[in-house]
Amino acid sequence: QVQLVESGGGLVQAGGSLRLSCAASGRTFSRSAMAWFRRAPGKEREFVATISCSGVSTYSADSVKGRFTISRVNTENTVYLQMNNLRPEDTAVYYCAAAATCWGDIRLVSVSEYVYWGQGTQVTVSS
């Protein structure tokens, strides 16, 4: 089992920044690819960004490229999402997720590829 606890959400004006954190426990953190997803009101959960087990490789959705950065510190069992230049359309509940494996030949970007989920943290961007 893996427990994931997100923090760092809140209310921010458009153009502002937030940093989300996700603390993991219960499994060897460095053996799990990690990701952030989000769900906006009335929409399905969507992929935001993922990071390889080592932290060397990352991949982000086109909608957040150049604005959001995913990172991890394996010695601290923590993954981060730095969000800059936030827009009202970024308003959503943000979820941290852990896969049961590392990336193979293909990046893990689908909801179904992640086994463990946090409870979510609300991010609201006002215009």
Side-chain angles (χ1 to χ4, degrees), residues 86-111:
L86 283 160
R87 305 167 180 169
E89 54 264 39
D90 294 319
T91 295
V93 178
Y94 284 72
Y95 298 91
C96 174
T101 63
C102 296
W103 292 3
D105 293 332
I106 301 174
R107 294 177 290 250
L108 305 180
V109 299
S110 299
V111 170

mmCIF file with all atom_site columns, all heavy atoms in Angstrom, residues 86-111:
data_model
loop_
_atom_site.group_PDB
_atom_site.id
_atom_site.type_symbol
_atom_site.label_atom_id
_atom_site.label_alt_id
_atom_site.label_comp_id
_atom_site.label_asym_id
_atom_site.label_entity_id
_atom_site.label_seq_id
_atom_site.pdbx_PDB_ins_code
_atom_site.Cartn_x
_atom_site.Cartn_y
_atom_site.Cartn_z
_atom_site.occupancy
_atom_site.B_iso_or_equiv
_atom_site.pdbx_formal_charge
_atom_site.auth_seq_id
_atom_site.auth_comp_id
_atom_site.auth_asym_id
_atom_site.auth_atom_id
_atom_site.pdbx_PDB_model_num
ATOM 1   N N   . LEU A 1 86  ? -0.516  30.995 -13.619 1.00 0.00 ? 86  LEU A N   1
ATOM 2   C CA  . LEU A 1 86  ? -1.790  30.270 -13.532 1.00 0.00 ? 86  LEU A CA  1
ATOM 3   C C   . LEU A 1 86  ? -2.911  31.012 -14.249 1.00 0.00 ? 86  LEU A C   1
ATOM 4   O O   . LEU A 1 86  ? -2.944  32.255 -14.274 1.00 0.00 ? 86  LEU A O   1
ATOM 5   C CB  . LEU A 1 86  ? -2.155  30.021 -12.074 1.00 0.00 ? 86  LEU A CB  1
ATOM 6   C CG  . LEU A 1 86  ? -1.370  28.873 -11.416 1.00 0.00 ? 86  LEU A CG  1
ATOM 7   C CD1 . LEU A 1 86  ? -1.397  28.992 -9.904  1.00 0.00 ? 86  LEU A CD1 1
ATOM 8   C CD2 . LEU A 1 86  ? -1.948  27.534 -11.861 1.00 0.00 ? 86  LEU A CD2 1
ATOM 9   N N   . ARG A 1 87  ? -3.825  30.234 -14.810 1.00 0.00 ? 87  ARG A N   1
ATOM 10  C CA  . ARG A 1 87  ? -4.967  30.769 -15.544 1.00 0.00 ? 87  ARG A CA  1
ATOM 11  C C   . ARG A 1 87  ? -6.253  30.277 -14.904 1.00 0.00 ? 87  ARG A C   1
ATOM 12  O O   . ARG A 1 87  ? -6.260  29.237 -14.239 1.00 0.00 ? 87  ARG A O   1
ATOM 13  C CB  . ARG A 1 87  ? -4.910  30.273 -16.996 1.00 0.00 ? 87  ARG A CB  1
ATOM 14  C CG  . ARG A 1 87  ? -3.615  30.589 -17.724 1.00 0.00 ? 87  ARG A CG  1
ATOM 15  C CD  . ARG A 1 87  ? -3.520  29.810 -19.018 1.00 0.00 ? 87  ARG A CD  1
ATOM 16  N NE  . ARG A 1 87  ? -2.287  30.093 -19.749 1.00 0.00 ? 87  ARG A NE  1
ATOM 17  C CZ  . ARG A 1 87  ? -1.856  29.387 -20.795 1.00 0.00 ? 87  ARG A CZ  1
ATOM 18  N NH1 . ARG A 1 87  ? -2.591  28.367 -21.242 1.00 0.00 ? 87  ARG A NH1 1
ATOM 19  N NH2 . ARG A 1 87  ? -0.732  29.728 -21.395 1.00 0.00 ? 87  ARG A NH2 1
ATOM 20  N N   . PRO A 1 88  ? -7.352  30.978 -15.105 1.00 0.00 ? 88  PRO A N   1
ATOM 21  C CA  . PRO A 1 88  ? -8.632  30.514 -14.539 1.00 0.00 ? 88  PRO A CA  1
ATOM 22  C C   . PRO A 1 88  ? -8.973  29.083 -14.964 1.00 0.00 ? 88  PRO A C   1
ATOM 23  O O   . PRO A 1 88  ? -9.555  28.334 -14.169 1.00 0.00 ? 88  PRO A O   1
ATOM 24  C CB  . PRO A 1 88  ? -9.631  31.531 -15.091 1.00 0.00 ? 88  PRO A CB  1
ATOM 25  C CG  . PRO A 1 88  ? -8.834  32.787 -15.238 1.00 0.00 ? 88  PRO A CG  1
ATOM 26  C CD  . PRO A 1 88  ? -7.479  32.326 -15.697 1.00 0.00 ? 88  PRO A CD  1
ATOM 27  N N   . GLU A 1 89  ? -8.598  28.681 -16.162 1.00 0.00 ? 89  GLU A N   1
ATOM 28  C CA  . GLU A 1 89  ? -8.896  27.328 -16.628 1.00 0.00 ? 89  GLU A CA  1
ATOM 29  C C   . GLU A 1 89  ? -8.056  26.254 -15.933 1.00 0.00 ? 89  GLU A C   1
ATOM 30  O O   . GLU A 1 89  ? -8.292  25.061 -16.138 1.00 0.00 ? 89  GLU A O   1
ATOM 31  C CB  . GLU A 1 89  ? -8.710  27.210 -18.151 1.00 0.00 ? 89  GLU A CB  1
ATOM 32  C CG  . GLU A 1 89  ? -7.353  27.650 -18.664 1.00 0.00 ? 89  GLU A CG  1
ATOM 33  C CD  . GLU A 1 89  ? -7.355  29.094 -19.164 1.00 0.00 ? 89  GLU A CD  1
ATOM 34  O OE1 . GLU A 1 89  ? -8.012  29.942 -18.528 1.00 0.00 ? 89  GLU A OE1 1
ATOM 35  O OE2 . GLU A 1 89  ? -6.666  29.345 -20.180 1.00 0.00 ? 89  GLU A OE2 1
ATOM 36  N N   . ASP A 1 90  ? -7.102  26.662 -15.107 1.00 0.00 ? 90  ASP A N   1
ATOM 37  C CA  . ASP A 1 90  ? -6.344  25.698 -14.305 1.00 0.00 ? 90  ASP A CA  1
ATOM 38  C C   . ASP A 1 90  ? -7.085  25.334 -13.014 1.00 0.00 ? 90  ASP A C   1
ATOM 39  O O   . ASP A 1 90  ? -6.643  24.448 -12.276 1.00 0.00 ? 90  ASP A O   1
ATOM 40  C CB  . ASP A 1 90  ? -4.968  26.264 -13.930 1.00 0.00 ? 90  ASP A CB  1
ATOM 41  C CG  . ASP A 1 90  ? -4.062  26.463 -15.136 1.00 0.00 ? 90  ASP A CG  1
ATOM 42  O OD1 . ASP A 1 90  ? -4.055  25.584 -16.023 1.00 0.00 ? 90  ASP A OD1 1
ATOM 43  O OD2 . ASP A 1 90  ? -3.379  27.505 -15.183 1.00 0.00 ? 90  ASP A OD2 1
ATOM 44  N N   . THR A 1 91  ? -8.198  26.007 -12.758 1.00 0.00 ? 91  THR A N   1
ATOM 45  C CA  . THR A 1 91  ? -8.990  25.709 -11.564 1.00 0.00 ? 91  THR A CA  1
ATOM 46  C C   . THR A 1 91  ? -9.464  24.264 -11.593 1.00 0.00 ? 91  THR A C   1
ATOM 47  O O   . THR A 1 91  ? -10.105 23.828 -12.556 1.00 0.00 ? 91  THR A O   1
ATOM 48  C CB  . THR A 1 91  ? -10.195 26.659 -11.471 1.00 0.00 ? 91  THR A CB  1
ATOM 49  O OG1 . THR A 1 91  ? -9.717  27.996 -11.273 1.00 0.00 ? 91  THR A OG1 1
ATOM 50  C CG2 . THR A 1 91  ? -11.114 26.268 -10.324 1.00 0.00 ? 91  THR A CG2 1
ATOM 51  N N   . ALA A 1 92  ? -9.124  23.519 -10.534 1.00 0.00 ? 92  ALA A N   1
ATOM 52  C CA  . ALA A 1 92  ? -9.461  22.089 -10.481 1.00 0.00 ? 92  ALA A CA  1
ATOM 53  C C   . ALA A 1 92  ? -9.016  21.530 -9.137  1.00 0.00 ? 92  ALA A C   1
ATOM 54  O O   . ALA A 1 92  ? -8.296  22.190 -8.382  1.00 0.00 ? 92  ALA A O   1
ATOM 55  C CB  . ALA A 1 92  ? -8.752  21.331 -11.605 1.00 0.00 ? 92  ALA A CB  1
ATOM 56  N N   . VAL A 1 93  ? -9.446  20.313 -8.880  1.00 0.00 ? 93  VAL A N   1
ATOM 57  C CA  . VAL A 1 93  ? -8.859  19.529 -7.793  1.00 0.00 ? 93  VAL A CA  1
ATOM 58  C C   . VAL A 1 93  ? -7.668  18.787 -8.383  1.00 0.00 ? 93  VAL A C   1
ATOM 59  O O   . VAL A 1 93  ? -7.813  18.096 -9.397  1.00 0.00 ? 93  VAL A O   1
ATOM 60  C CB  . VAL A 1 93  ? -9.865  18.545 -7.182  1.00 0.00 ? 93  VAL A CB  1
ATOM 61  C CG1 . VAL A 1 93  ? -9.189  17.709 -6.096  1.00 0.00 ? 93  VAL A CG1 1
ATOM 62  C CG2 . VAL A 1 93  ? -11.067 19.288 -6.612  1.00 0.00 ? 93  VAL A CG2 1
ATOM 63  N N   . TYR A 1 94  ? -6.520  18.942 -7.765  1.00 0.00 ? 94  TYR A N   1
ATOM 64  C CA  . TYR A 1 94  ? -5.287  18.319 -8.247  1.00 0.00 ? 94  TYR A CA  1
ATOM 65  C C   . TYR A 1 94  ? -4.968  17.082 -7.405  1.00 0.00 ? 94  TYR A C   1
ATOM 66  O O   . TYR A 1 94  ? -4.982  17.143 -6.170  1.00 0.00 ? 94  TYR A O   1
ATOM 67  C CB  . TYR A 1 94  ? -4.131  19.317 -8.193  1.00 0.00 ? 94  TYR A CB  1
ATOM 68  C CG  . TYR A 1 94  ? -4.190  20.317 -9.311  1.00 0.00 ? 94  TYR A CG  1
ATOM 69  C CD1 . TYR A 1 94  ? -5.155  21.317 -9.323  1.00 0.00 ? 94  TYR A CD1 1
ATOM 70  C CD2 . TYR A 1 94  ? -3.304  20.253 -10.383 1.00 0.00 ? 94  TYR A CD2 1
ATOM 71  C CE1 . TYR A 1 94  ? -5.239  22.225 -10.366 1.00 0.00 ? 94  TYR A CE1 1
ATOM 72  C CE2 . TYR A 1 94  ? -3.367  21.154 -11.434 1.00 0.00 ? 94  TYR A CE2 1
ATOM 73  C CZ  . TYR A 1 94  ? -4.332  22.140 -11.416 1.00 0.00 ? 94  TYR A CZ  1
ATOM 74  O OH  . TYR A 1 94  ? -4.405  23.041 -12.456 1.00 0.00 ? 94  TYR A OH  1
ATOM 75  N N   . TYR A 1 95  ? -4.678  15.988 -8.107  1.00 0.00 ? 95  TYR A N   1
ATOM 76  C CA  . TYR A 1 95  ? -4.419  14.707 -7.466  1.00 0.00 ? 95  TYR A CA  1
ATOM 77  C C   . TYR A 1 95  ? -3.004  14.227 -7.759  1.00 0.00 ? 95  TYR A C   1
ATOM 78  O O   . TYR A 1 95  ? -2.547  14.289 -8.899  1.00 0.00 ? 95  TYR A O   1
ATOM 79  C CB  . TYR A 1 95  ? -5.395  13.641 -7.973  1.00 0.00 ? 95  TYR A CB  1
ATOM 80  C CG  . TYR A 1 95  ? -6.838  13.927 -7.681  1.00 0.00 ? 95  TYR A CG  1
ATOM 81  C CD1 . TYR A 1 95  ? -7.627  14.630 -8.587  1.00 0.00 ? 95  TYR A CD1 1
ATOM 82  C CD2 . TYR A 1 95  ? -7.430  13.476 -6.504  1.00 0.00 ? 95  TYR A CD2 1
ATOM 83  C CE1 . TYR A 1 95  ? -8.965  14.889 -8.328  1.00 0.00 ? 95  TYR A CE1 1
ATOM 84  C CE2 . TYR A 1 95  ? -8.771  13.729 -6.233  1.00 0.00 ? 95  TYR A CE2 1
ATOM 85  C CZ  . TYR A 1 95  ? -9.522  14.439 -7.150  1.00 0.00 ? 95  TYR A CZ  1
ATOM 86  O OH  . TYR A 1 95  ? -10.850 14.685 -6.882  1.00 0.00 ? 95  TYR A OH  1
ATOM 87  N N   . CYS A 1 96  ? -2.368  13.731 -6.744  1.00 0.00 ? 96  CYS A N   1
ATOM 88  C CA  . CYS A 1 96  ? -1.079  13.058 -6.880  1.00 0.00 ? 96  CYS A CA  1
ATOM 89  C C   . CYS A 1 96  ? -1.357  11.565 -7.087  1.00 0.00 ? 96  CYS A C   1
ATOM 90  O O   . CYS A 1 96  ? -2.292  11.017 -6.482  1.00 0.00 ? 96  CYS A O   1
ATOM 91  C CB  . CYS A 1 96  ? -0.297  13.286 -5.590  1.00 0.00 ? 96  CYS A CB  1
ATOM 92  S SG  . CYS A 1 96  ? 1.256   12.401 -5.462  1.00 0.00 ? 96  CYS A SG  1
ATOM 93  N N   . ALA A 1 97  ? -0.555  10.923 -7.924  1.00 0.00 ? 97  ALA A N   1
ATOM 94  C CA  . ALA A 1 97  ? -0.758  9.505  -8.205  1.00 0.00 ? 97  ALA A CA  1
ATOM 95  C C   . ALA A 1 97  ? 0.569   8.778  -8.314  1.00 0.00 ? 97  ALA A C   1
ATOM 96  O O   . ALA A 1 97  ? 1.566   9.351  -8.785  1.00 0.00 ? 97  ALA A O   1
ATOM 97  C CB  . ALA A 1 97  ? -1.545  9.339  -9.499  1.00 0.00 ? 97  ALA A CB  1
ATOM 98  N N   . ALA A 1 98  ? 0.552   7.524  -7.887  1.00 0.00 ? 98  ALA A N   1
ATOM 99  C CA  . ALA A 1 98  ? 1.753   6.692  -7.952  1.00 0.00 ? 98  ALA A CA  1
ATOM 100 C C   . ALA A 1 98  ? 1.456   5.432  -8.759  1.00 0.00 ? 98  ALA A C   1
ATOM 101 O O   . ALA A 1 98  ? 0.419   4.786  -8.550  1.00 0.00 ? 98  ALA A O   1
ATOM 102 C CB  . ALA A 1 98  ? 2.215   6.312  -6.552  1.00 0.00 ? 98  ALA A CB  1
ATOM 103 N N   . ALA A 1 99  ? 2.355   5.100  -9.651  1.00 0.00 ? 99  ALA A N   1
ATOM 104 C CA  . ALA A 1 99  ? 2.230   3.855  -10.404 1.00 0.00 ? 99  ALA A CA  1
ATOM 105 C C   . ALA A 1 99  ? 2.893   2.720  -9.635  1.00 0.00 ? 99  ALA A C   1
ATOM 106 O O   . ALA A 1 99  ? 3.650   2.961  -8.696  1.00 0.00 ? 99  ALA A O   1
ATOM 107 C CB  . ALA A 1 99  ? 2.891   4.012  -11.772 1.00 0.00 ? 99  ALA A CB  1
ATOM 108 N N   . ALA A 1 100 ? 2.581   1.489  -10.044 1.00 0.00 ? 100 ALA A N   1
ATOM 109 C CA  . ALA A 1 100 ? 3.183   0.332  -9.388  1.00 0.00 ? 100 ALA A CA  1
ATOM 110 C C   . ALA A 1 100 ? 4.577   0.047  -9.947  1.00 0.00 ? 100 ALA A C   1
ATOM 111 O O   . ALA A 1 100 ? 5.294   -0.787 -9.399  1.00 0.00 ? 100 ALA A O   1
ATOM 112 C CB  . ALA A 1 100 ? 2.292   -0.892 -9.563  1.00 0.00 ? 100 ALA A CB  1
ATOM 113 N N   . THR A 1 101 ? 4.950   0.732  -11.037 1.00 0.00 ? 101 THR A N   1
ATOM 114 C CA  . THR A 1 101 ? 6.232   0.490  -11.681 1.00 0.00 ? 101 THR A CA  1
ATOM 115 C C   . THR A 1 101 ? 6.870   1.808  -12.107 1.00 0.00 ? 101 THR A C   1
ATOM 116 O O   . THR A 1 101 ? 6.277   2.875  -11.945 1.00 0.00 ? 101 THR A O   1
ATOM 117 C CB  . THR A 1 101 ? 6.057   -0.378 -12.942 1.00 0.00 ? 101 THR A CB  1
ATOM 118 O OG1 . THR A 1 101 ? 5.244   0.360  -13.885 1.00 0.00 ? 101 THR A OG1 1
ATOM 119 C CG2 . THR A 1 101 ? 5.375   -1.694 -12.627 1.00 0.00 ? 101 THR A CG2 1
ATOM 120 N N   . CYS A 1 102 ? 8.038   1.694  -12.660 1.00 0.00 ? 102 CYS A N   1
ATOM 121 C CA  . CYS A 1 102 ? 8.679   2.832  -13.303 1.00 0.00 ? 102 CYS A CA  1
ATOM 122 C C   . CYS A 1 102 ? 8.234   2.870  -14.761 1.00 0.00 ? 102 CYS A C   1
ATOM 123 O O   . CYS A 1 102 ? 7.593   1.956  -15.256 1.00 0.00 ? 102 CYS A O   1
ATOM 124 C CB  . CYS A 1 102 ? 10.194  2.693  -13.231 1.00 0.00 ? 102 CYS A CB  1
ATOM 125 S SG  . CYS A 1 102 ? 10.869  2.712  -11.555 1.00 0.00 ? 102 CYS A SG  1
ATOM 126 N N   . TRP A 1 103 ? 8.578   3.950  -15.458 1.00 0.00 ? 103 TRP A N   1
ATOM 127 C CA  . TRP A 1 103 ? 8.336   3.990  -16.892 1.00 0.00 ? 103 TRP A CA  1
ATOM 128 C C   . TRP A 1 103 ? 9.090   2.841  -17.557 1.00 0.00 ? 103 TRP A C   1
ATOM 129 O O   . TRP A 1 103 ? 10.173  2.470  -17.159 1.00 0.00 ? 103 TRP A O   1
ATOM 130 C CB  . TRP A 1 103 ? 8.874   5.281  -17.503 1.00 0.00 ? 103 TRP A CB  1
ATOM 131 C CG  . TRP A 1 103 ? 8.186   6.542  -17.133 1.00 0.00 ? 103 TRP A CG  1
ATOM 132 C CD1 . TRP A 1 103 ? 7.163   6.709  -16.257 1.00 0.00 ? 103 TRP A CD1 1
ATOM 133 C CD2 . TRP A 1 103 ? 8.499   7.832  -17.637 1.00 0.00 ? 103 TRP A CD2 1
ATOM 134 N NE1 . TRP A 1 103 ? 6.841   8.032  -16.178 1.00 0.00 ? 103 TRP A NE1 1
ATOM 135 C CE2 . TRP A 1 103 ? 7.632   8.749  -17.027 1.00 0.00 ? 103 TRP A CE2 1
ATOM 136 C CE3 . TRP A 1 103 ? 9.440   8.314  -18.552 1.00 0.00 ? 103 TRP A CE3 1
ATOM 137 C CZ2 . TRP A 1 103 ? 7.659   10.113 -17.292 1.00 0.00 ? 103 TRP A CZ2 1
ATOM 138 C CZ3 . TRP A 1 103 ? 9.479   9.661  -18.823 1.00 0.00 ? 103 TRP A CZ3 1
ATOM 139 C CH2 . TRP A 1 103 ? 8.593   10.553 -18.187 1.00 0.00 ? 103 TRP A CH2 1
ATOM 140 N N   . GLY A 1 104 ? 8.462   2.315  -18.609 1.00 0.00 ? 104 GLY A N   1
ATOM 141 C CA  . GLY A 1 104 ? 9.193   1.381  -19.451 1.00 0.00 ? 104 GLY A CA  1
ATOM 142 C C   . GLY A 1 104 ? 9.585   2.127  -20.703 1.00 0.00 ? 104 GLY A C   1
ATOM 143 O O   . GLY A 1 104 ? 10.176  3.202  -20.653 1.00 0.00 ? 104 GLY A O   1
ATOM 144 N N   . ASP A 1 105 ? 9.188   1.591  -21.850 1.00 0.00 ? 105 ASP A N   1
ATOM 145 C CA  . ASP A 1 105 ? 9.437   2.276  -23.117 1.00 0.00 ? 105 ASP A CA  1
ATOM 146 C C   . ASP A 1 105 ? 8.424   3.402  -23.355 1.00 0.00 ? 105 ASP A C   1
ATOM 147 O O   . ASP A 1 105 ? 8.634   4.266  -24.194 1.00 0.00 ? 105 ASP A O   1
ATOM 148 C CB  . ASP A 1 105 ? 9.352   1.286  -24.273 1.00 0.00 ? 105 ASP A CB  1
ATOM 149 C CG  . ASP A 1 105 ? 10.473  0.267  -24.222 1.00 0.00 ? 105 ASP A CG  1
ATOM 150 O OD1 . ASP A 1 105 ? 11.542  0.602  -23.674 1.00 0.00 ? 105 ASP A OD1 1
ATOM 151 O OD2 . ASP A 1 105 ? 10.275  -0.862 -24.716 1.00 0.00 ? 105 ASP A OD2 1
ATOM 152 N N   . ILE A 1 106 ? 7.339   3.364  -22.600 1.00 0.00 ? 106 ILE A N   1
ATOM 153 C CA  . ILE A 1 106 ? 6.263   4.327  -22.808 1.00 0.00 ? 106 ILE A CA  1
ATOM 154 C C   . ILE A 1 106 ? 6.010   5.084  -21.508 1.00 0.00 ? 106 ILE A C   1
ATOM 155 O O   . ILE A 1 106 ? 5.963   4.495  -20.434 1.00 0.00 ? 106 ILE A O   1
ATOM 156 C CB  . ILE A 1 106 ? 4.974   3.615  -23.263 1.00 0.00 ? 106 ILE A CB  1
ATOM 157 C CG1 . ILE A 1 106 ? 5.221   2.851  -24.567 1.00 0.00 ? 106 ILE A CG1 1
ATOM 158 C CG2 . ILE A 1 106 ? 3.832   4.619  -23.451 1.00 0.00 ? 106 ILE A CG2 1
ATOM 159 C CD1 . ILE A 1 106 ? 4.052   2.013  -25.017 1.00 0.00 ? 106 ILE A CD1 1
ATOM 160 N N   . ARG A 1 107 ? 5.831   6.388  -21.621 1.00 0.00 ? 107 ARG A N   1
ATOM 161 C CA  . ARG A 1 107 ? 5.492   7.180  -20.445 1.00 0.00 ? 107 ARG A CA  1
ATOM 162 C C   . ARG A 1 107 ? 4.105   6.797  -19.961 1.00 0.00 ? 107 ARG A C   1
ATOM 163 O O   . ARG A 1 107 ? 3.234   6.413  -20.744 1.00 0.00 ? 107 ARG A O   1
ATOM 164 C CB  . ARG A 1 107 ? 5.516   8.670  -20.810 1.00 0.00 ? 107 ARG A CB  1
ATOM 165 C CG  . ARG A 1 107 ? 6.884   9.195  -21.174 1.00 0.00 ? 107 ARG A CG  1
ATOM 166 C CD  . ARG A 1 107 ? 6.766   10.644 -21.573 1.00 0.00 ? 107 ARG A CD  1
ATOM 167 N NE  . ARG A 1 107 ? 6.084   10.813 -22.821 1.00 0.00 ? 107 ARG A NE  1
ATOM 168 C CZ  . ARG A 1 107 ? 6.665   11.205 -23.951 1.00 0.00 ? 107 ARG A CZ  1
ATOM 169 N NH1 . ARG A 1 107 ? 7.957   11.422 -23.965 1.00 0.00 ? 107 ARG A NH1 1
ATOM 170 N NH2 . ARG A 1 107 ? 5.954   11.374 -25.041 1.00 0.00 ? 107 ARG A NH2 1
ATOM 171 N N   . LEU A 1 108 ? 3.907   6.934  -18.674 1.00 0.00 ? 108 LEU A N   1
ATOM 172 C CA  . LEU A 1 108 ? 2.629   6.586  -18.061 1.00 0.00 ? 108 LEU A CA  1
ATOM 173 C C   . LEU A 1 108 ? 1.793   7.855  -17.931 1.00 0.00 ? 108 LEU A C   1
ATOM 174 O O   . LEU A 1 108 ? 2.079   8.712  -17.097 1.00 0.00 ? 108 LEU A O   1
ATOM 175 C CB  . LEU A 1 108 ? 2.851   5.940  -16.698 1.00 0.00 ? 108 LEU A CB  1
ATOM 176 C CG  . LEU A 1 108 ? 3.772   4.718  -16.685 1.00 0.00 ? 108 LEU A CG  1
ATOM 177 C CD1 . LEU A 1 108 ? 3.900   4.166  -15.273 1.00 0.00 ? 108 LEU A CD1 1
ATOM 178 C CD2 . LEU A 1 108 ? 3.252   3.648  -17.619 1.00 0.00 ? 108 LEU A CD2 1
ATOM 179 N N   . VAL A 1 109 ? 0.763   7.980  -18.764 1.00 0.00 ? 109 VAL A N   1
ATOM 180 C CA  . VAL A 1 109 ? -0.029  9.209  -18.788 1.00 0.00 ? 109 VAL A CA  1
ATOM 181 C C   . VAL A 1 109 ? -1.522  8.976  -18.598 1.00 0.00 ? 109 VAL A C   1
ATOM 182 O O   . VAL A 1 109 ? -2.299  9.932  -18.591 1.00 0.00 ? 109 VAL A O   1
ATOM 183 C CB  . VAL A 1 109 ? 0.197   9.978  -20.105 1.00 0.00 ? 109 VAL A CB  1
ATOM 184 C CG1 . VAL A 1 109 ? 1.660   10.366 -20.255 1.00 0.00 ? 109 VAL A CG1 1
ATOM 185 C CG2 . VAL A 1 109 ? -0.277  9.153  -21.293 1.00 0.00 ? 109 VAL A CG2 1
ATOM 186 N N   . SER A 1 110 ? -1.940  7.734  -18.445 1.00 0.00 ? 110 SER A N   1
ATOM 187 C CA  . SER A 1 110 ? -3.366  7.441  -18.312 1.00 0.00 ? 110 SER A CA  1
ATOM 188 C C   . SER A 1 110 ? -3.744  7.199  -16.849 1.00 0.00 ? 110 SER A C   1
ATOM 189 O O   . SER A 1 110 ? -2.948  6.671  -16.078 1.00 0.00 ? 110 SER A O   1
ATOM 190 C CB  . SER A 1 110 ? -3.724  6.201  -19.120 1.00 0.00 ? 110 SER A CB  1
ATOM 191 O OG  . SER A 1 110 ? -3.457  6.403  -20.478 1.00 0.00 ? 110 SER A OG  1
ATOM 192 N N   . VAL A 1 111 ? -4.977  7.569  -16.527 1.00 0.00 ? 111 VAL A N   1
ATOM 193 C CA  . VAL A 1 111 ? -5.487  7.342  -15.174 1.00 0.00 ? 111 VAL A CA  1
ATOM 194 C C   . VAL A 1 111 ? -5.362  5.869  -14.793 1.00 0.00 ? 111 VAL A C   1
ATOM 195 O O   . VAL A 1 111 ? -4.962  5.538  -13.679 1.00 0.00 ? 111 VAL A O   1
ATOM 196 C CB  . VAL A 1 111 ? -6.950  7.797  -15.068 1.00 0.00 ? 111 VAL A CB  1
ATOM 197 C CG1 . VAL A 1 111 ? -7.565  7.348  -13.748 1.00 0.00 ? 111 VAL A CG1 1
ATOM 198 C CG2 . VAL A 1 111 ? -7.062  9.316  -15.206 1.00 0.00 ? 111 VAL A CG2 1
#
